[in-house]
Amino acid sequence: MSLTGTAFLLAGVAGALPGPAAAALAVAGGFALACVRLAWLAGAATPPDRPALPDHPAPTGHSESTDRPAPTGHRAPTGRPAPAHGARGLAVPHGATALGPRTGRRARRAALSRRVAAILDGAVLVAGLTVAVLPLSDAAHRLPIALAGLCLAGALHVTALLRLPGRSRLSGPELVRRTVDVLALGVSLVFGGWMLLPGGPVPAVAAMVAAGGAVVLAVLAVAAVAERRRRPGAARCHAGSALTLGGLTLLVVLLAYGAPDRALPLVAAPLVAGALLTAAGARRTSGGERPGRDVAPAAWPRLTAPAGIAALAAGIHLMTAGEFSTAAMALGLAVVPPIMAGELLAAADQRRRVQRLAAREAWLRRRLGPDARAAEPVPLTRAELVRAMAERSGGALLVVDLHGTGGAVPEGPILTEAARRLRAGAETQDLVARLGDTEYAVLTDRGPVLAYALGLRLLAALAEPYPRPGGLARLRVSVGLAETSGGDPEDVLRQADLARRRAVQLGRDRVEWYDAYLEEQLVRRLDLERELPGAVARGELDLVYQPVVALADRMPVGTEALLRWRSPALGTVLPAELLPVAADLDLTGEIGRWVLDRACRQLAAWSEGGRELWMAVNVTPRELAAPDFVARTATALAAYDVVPERLVVEVAEPVVGAEPSTVVARLAGLRSIGVRIALDDFRAEHASLAQLRRLPIDLLKVGPHLVGPGGDGQRPLIDVVANLADRLGVELVVEELESEAQVAGARRAGCRYGQGFALARPATAERVEAWFEEYPSTAR
């Protein structure tokens, strides 16, 4: 609960506010927030599945001229950090597709997630309204209102929970265990409620609601714990529903007993917590929950939970009432049989698991002889690995993923040899498990340093060539590492898998260690992948503009279009994060077309006012390589009647070095229609200076580091670059100018144009236009 809600609750309990009003005010904020979140999920059009992490580094060529901090793994081409305050817009091939067609299964899952969110939204709204109308009703009508709200909210919650995505059918033994657990917890809750009710006659409504509520709470609590590992989102929804219905049940009981008004605010805490937990669970399920085939169910304290509840309630009753009635004693003893049955079932399950492992080991030894361990590189499944991790108090877990060339799945014989190498590289006491077709795990009791060394050895062994008919094959290997430290096995397995994903994202053939920051990055990445599709259609993209000025008189000569994504869920997202995700989701075409169209439209608007400026738009390697890029650019210019010379296409110098022939041909095509070219992120190395002569460029953008004094008394490097640019007829633009000293140094070096925070910050079109009004119109 928020501080405001807590204050209203305390005011109601203390009698400073009427009880019903205090309860309504205490839950208002939390329920409003939960309803808004659920309503947004119900109307969201984004796909629920989260695409896989990228298998290649982020594209280059979109670093902004100022403010350089950026997330790990997305670095600018020159080695300096990627931008934190924006990057340039991009133009993309007209023929590029946006997001590939979803399968029918994904579409149905998305629709189901939205329907479930809508039903949960209704359930939360009903619970909130039930409390909200209490201050507006007289005392005689409050109990019927609360009872109706409980019934309707309960029906909606049950309907939504039964429709949650990913629910699997329970096997016979699982159903028996679940029933016994529910029975034990339900009886203990009924006994606890009976002990805590005031003495004397029990109102019929209170008795029925308390008994029914205890059973429902038991079902929801057991389901929440059982699904905690396999479906964490569903588990949160179950727990949230339990708290919400528990709060409404308490409200009905209080009203049935005619409790004083100052007791009513006590229902606020479970109601608000339940609403927010339900919204959090619905958001998690909207991302698509796919339980693994061998994920073990979470352990349920089938002995301690029911026994603890019963013992606590009995102790409170003994202190307050002093004795037990015959009915209370019978109900208390009824808790024992289901608890004992649950323990017997658990012991039988453990015995069967031990027998299966022993039988499998004996079969392998008979079939493969004394070298069975070396010949059969993988005696464990995922479930067996999880149980083995639970029995160890320390060590580390390595998750190993194998990739064929070009992302192809390695052939069977190659995988067999890879598994043999994996087993041979591990120590005798290490456990090896197979998690998927090309994914393995190694559980070791070594410390962090030795476990990392083991990962490097396995990486080297698995990366060696594999003989096959017709030649040799090679595999790409990604290794994720996490410490066990006695933690929850499923959490450790998830952490090691996140580290493996990070290794894939950074280019493979590496070992990555899990830490909390890595998880934050990957979760952020998954959020971006979920929210970005449809951002253009929803009108969430925006452009800001940073002026380029003449250093001699500080007159504006042009602007650079900088892309922003104003996401309602994630806030403002900068291109350093946006562009790599867009590339992996195949959305650069859609975003690039929007950027080019918006930039040309804004340039046309400024030109109508008599101000002749250029507009710079950056392009990615994929855009530049498209065969129709030049024709599409010409179409955009014609659509807004923009003079081609006023459009500047920026391309990063490392991009040119990657595919010089294709880039040169495309740049020449742009110049043939009158569009000017700018070479960004110029590094001024020997190779860079040598290839400048054959590039069809008009502007050369350099960083402020070139403007500084030369080493050992030599002239600044900018003098060399300026001399070459002058001979080639190319204008220099110094970017990232963040101080007056840098501006003065660039001007002394003979640079004509400058860009950076010291001259003008990026701003919206309206603010840039107002800034323009301070200067007379000048053609440059």
Side-chain angles (χ1 to χ4, degrees):
M1 293 181 67
S2 65
L3 294 177
T4 304
T6 304
F8 284 130
L9 189 153
L10 295 176
V13 173
L17 279 177
L25 292 173
V27 304
F31 270 80
L33 178 60
C35 285
V36 169
R37 288 178 176 174
L38 288 168
W40 185 85
L41 290 173
T46 52
D49 290 310
R50 292 176 173 176
L53 288 168
D55 292 346
H56 52 78
T60 61
H62 283 275
S63 60
E64 189 170 308
S65 61
T66 53
D67 270 9
R68 292 291 175 179
T72 304
H74 302 292
R75 297 192 64 84
T78 58
R80 60 179 180 268
H85 287 285
R88 304 174 183 90
L90 65 165
V92 188
H94 179 70
T97 58
L99 189 63
R102 298 183 177 87
T103 63
R105 182 177 299 176
R106 291 184 63 191
R108 288 193 296 272
R109 190 185 300 119
L112 179 59
S113 298
R114 291 194 292 269
R115 287 197 296 271
V116 169
I119 298 173
L120 288 175
D121 190 26
V124 171
L125 182 61
V126 167
L129 291 176
T130 300
V131 181
V133 300
L134 291 181
L136 308 178
S137 309
D138 55 52
H141 293 94
R142 289 175 183 169
L143 178 57
I145 291 174
L147 189 59
L150 173 62
C151 295
L152 182 54
L156 291 172
H157 273 289
V158 171
T159 302
L161 295 177
L162 292 176
R163 291 169 172 252
L164 283 174
R167 189 168 65 95
S168 57
R169 187 183 299 275
L170 296 176
S171 64
E174 289 177 332
L175 184 59
V176 171
R177 286 193 296 272
R178 186 75 63 88
T179 303
V180 170
D181 290 342
V182 169
L183 185 61
L185 183 61
V187 173
S188 67
L189 288 174
V190 171
F191 174 72
W194 183 274
M195 293 294 97
L196 297 179
L197 288 177
V202 179
V205 172
M208 290 188 297
V209 169
V215 175
V216 173
L217 289 179
V219 173
L220 295 176
V222 171
V225 175
E227 298 287 358
R228 179 171 60 88
R229 291 177 182 167
R230 286 186 285 195
R231 294 194 300 158
R236 294 176 187 176
C237 288
H238 282 87
S241 298
L243 287 171
T244 302
L245 297 179
L248 290 177
T249 300
L250 177 60
L251 177 62
V252 171
V253 172
L254 290 175
L255 293 174
Y257 268 96
D261 284 353
R262 66 175 55 189
L264 297 184
L266 296 177
V267 306
L271 286 175
V272 172
L276 296 177
L277 195 57
T278 299
R283 179 178 176 83
R284 180 70 179 262
T285 58
S286 69
E289 295 193 299
R290 300 176 180 177
R293 180 178 56 187
D294 294 324
V295 177
W300 165 253
R302 51 176 52 90
L303 174 63
T304 55
I309 293 173
L312 180 62
I316 295 175
H317 180 80
L318 191 61
M319 288 187 296
T320 55
E323 61 179 1
F324 293 98
S325 64
T326 303
M329 294 177 63
L331 189 58
L333 293 175
V335 179
V336 178
I339 292 179
M340 296 303 299
E343 289 300 302
L344 292 175
L345 289 174
D349 288 343
Q350 181 65 22
R351 187 163 53 250
R352 282 193 296 270
R353 282 195 294 267
V354 172
Q355 290 173 350
R356 283 198 302 269
L357 288 174
R360 182 175 181 179
E361 181 178 1
W363 180 84
L364 287 175
R365 292 184 182 278
R366 285 194 307 268
R367 184 174 179 86
L368 302 174
D371 294 332
R373 184 179 180 87
E376 177 66 18
V378 186
L380 292 180
T381 64
R382 179 189 174 105
E384 292 164 348
L385 174 68
V386 169
R387 285 190 286 271
M389 292 170 62
E391 297 170 359
R392 297 196 180 192
S393 58
L397 177 70
L398 296 88
V399 173
V400 182
D401 198 10
L402 306 176
H403 321 270
T405 56
V409 177
E411 300 172 356
I414 295 178
L415 285 177
T416 301
E417 172 61 16
R420 189 198 65 77
R421 295 183 188 181
L422 193 68
R423 178 66 270 172
E427 296 293 336
T428 305
Q429 67 272 17
D430 296 338
L431 298 180
V432 182
R434 186 166 189 171
L435 304 179
D437 292 339
T438 61
E439 193 172 357
Y440 301 84
V442 179
L443 179 62
T444 180
D445 56 4
R446 304 181 186 190
V449 176
L450 293 179
Y452 188 80
L454 171 62
L456 292 176
R457 289 202 307 273
L458 294 177
L459 178 66
L462 294 171
E464 287 293 321
Y466 294 80
R468 67 174 180 181
L472 297 176
R474 293 183 181 272
L475 296 182
R476 307 290 303 279
V477 185
S478 304
V479 182
L481 184 60
E483 293 184 73
T484 56
S485 305
D488 182 86
E490 286 294 340
D491 287 342
V492 175
L493 193 58
R494 178 185 58 82
Q495 292 170 358
D497 190 62
L498 287 176
R500 176 199 63 79
R501 294 187 184 190
R502 183 60 171 166
V504 172
Q505 185 180 11
L506 294 179
R508 301 179 173 141
D509 292 332
R510 60 192 300 135
V511 180
E512 284 295 316
W513 193 282
Y514 168 84
D515 59 34
Y517 179 63
L518 179 148
E519 182 168 6
E520 291 178 5
Q521 286 182 301
L522 291 175
V523 170
R524 171 73 172 179
R525 172 76 186 216
L526 294 175
D527 288 339
L528 291 169
E529 290 174 345
R530 185 185 64 251
E531 302 293 340
L532 183 55
V536 174
R538 295 192 299 269
E540 295 174 2
L541 295 188
D542 189 19
L543 286 183
V544 295
Y545 305 90
Q546 185 172 31
V548 180
V549 304
L551 293 177
D553 54 11
R554 304 247 178 149
M555 293 287 293
V557 296
T559 60
E560 183 175 3
L562 310 173
L563 180 62
R564 299 289 188 270
W565 173 25
R566 316 291 188 186
S567 169
L570 305 175
T572 298
V573 182
L574 305 178
E577 285 188 297
L578 188 160
L579 296 179
V581 178
D584 289 323
L585 298 182
D586 198 20
L587 295 176
T588 51
E590 180 184 5
I591 295 175
R593 285 190 294 272
W594 181 90
V595 169
L596 183 60
D597 180 85
R598 182 61 59 91
C600 288
R601 186 174 73 180
Q602 186 60 60
L603 183 58
W606 281 336
S607 299
E608 289 178 358
R611 191 170 293 278
E612 296 182 352
L613 303 165
W614 79 60
M615 176 75 73
V617 178
N618 192 260
V619 296
T620 65
R622 185 181 299 182
E623 298 172 71
L624 205 58
D628 66 337
F629 179 70
V630 175
R632 187 158 46 80
T633 303
T635 302
L637 292 170
Y640 293 101
D641 196 22
V642 172
V643 178
E645 289 77 10
R646 295 299 170 188
L647 178 65
V648 176
V649 170
E650 290 193 9
V651 58
E653 193 246 333
V655 174
V656 177
E659 297 184 18
S661 58
T662 302
V663 171
V664 170
R666 214 59 86 234
L667 297 182
L670 289 171
R671 287 194 79 186
S672 68
I673 63 174
V675 175
R676 291 195 288 173
I677 309 298
L679 186 64
D680 192 18
D681 293 326
F682 186 69
R683 295 174 294 186
E685 300 171 352
H686 178 73
S688 302
L689 293 171
Q691 73 171 356
L692 249 183
R693 297 179 179 273
R694 65 190 196 91
L695 292 176
I697 61 174
D698 303 277
L699 297 170
L700 186 63
K701 303 190 74 170
V702 299
H705 62 284
L706 296 183
V707 179
D712 299 327
Q714 298 178 355
R715 16 183 305 205
L717 185 57
I718 190 64
D719 289 349
V720 180
V721 177
N723 181 268
L724 180 59
D726 184 64
R727 291 166 56 189
L728 297 176
V730 176
E731 297 288 354
L732 279 181
V733 181
V734 183
E735 54 186 347
E736 303 173 42
L737 295 174
E738 299 182 2
S739 69
E740 287 298 329
Q742 290 178 333
V743 173
R747 188 171 57 249
R748 284 194 304 269
C751 300
R752 187 173 182 182
Y753 303 125
Q755 181 180 2
F757 277 14
L759 299 169
R761 290 177 174 268
T764 61
E766 293 77 10
R767 291 189 177 184
V768 172
E769 189 168 355
W771 184 79
F772 285 158
E773 294 301 324
E774 302 176 10
Y775 301 90
S777 177
T778 304
R780 300 280 177 174

